[in-house]
Amino acid sequence: MNNALWTVQVLLAAIYGMVGFREVFQTEKLREQMAWAKEESPGFLRFVGISELLGATGMILPLLTGILPWLTPLAAIGFGFIQFLAILTVHLPRNDYNILPLNVVLLVLSIFVVVGRWALFISSLHFL
């Protein structure tokens, strides 16, 4: 199970890291290529991109270094929240149904990491 969780975490970190990089550093190019991005402000795209870059970091580094490993399930919760909002507020209202399967897969993978790593979060609560 640990290997499956690590595989999913690396996959999510890679996907969100690449997308986040484009949203932060290639905002105008992204707006030219993606229909949904044209309708969003550059500031919003950068905000989401920074959130995704931070989440990608949180998906790997805390557990890898052993420093605050409970941040990993929180990063997965953040990714799930991003996908939930993307489905409800971006793609469904625009009838952009072709991207929904990817959103659902990313949401399910995020939930898998949350459930699999939840014990890390719960064990950190006794210190509070």
Side-chain angles (χ1 to χ4, degrees), residues 1-83:
M1 182 60 108
N2 189 49
N3 288 338
L5 285 164
W6 269 111
T7 301
V8 171
Q9 286 172 234
V10 168
L11 178 67
L12 287 172
I15 291 169
Y16 282 100
M18 287 186 291
V19 172
F21 180 87
R22 288 192 69 199
E23 289 172 343
V24 173
F25 299 107
Q26 299 174 347
T27 307
E28 291 308 316
K29 186 176 180 182
L30 180 71
R31 293 183 78 199
E32 292 170 7
Q33 295 174 344
M34 306 283 241
W36 68 269
K38 290 176 187 171
E39 299 176 23
E40 303 295 342
S41 72
F44 175 77
L45 291 174
R46 286 189 185 98
F47 169 75
V48 172
I50 290 169
S51 300
E52 290 171 344
L53 288 173
L54 290 172
T57 303
M59 192 62 58
I60 301 294
L61 283 183
L63 202 55
L64 186 65
T65 63
I67 300 170
L68 303 176
W70 53 270
L71 289 174
T72 297
L74 291 184
I77 289 171
F79 283 164
F81 191 61
I82 287 171
Q83 287 309 311

Side-chain angles (χ1 to χ4, degrees), residues 36 91 94-103:
W36 68 269
H91 300 298
R94 293 181 175 102
N95 298 322
D96 193 11
Y97 300 120
N98 61 335
I99 196 71
L100 286 178
L102 177 62
N103 293 125

Side-chain angles (χ1 to χ4, degrees), residues 106-119:
L106 291 173
L107 177 61
V108 169
L109 290 175
S110 298
I111 292 170
F112 174 71
V113 173
V114 171
V115 171
R117 299 294 189 202
W118 189 250

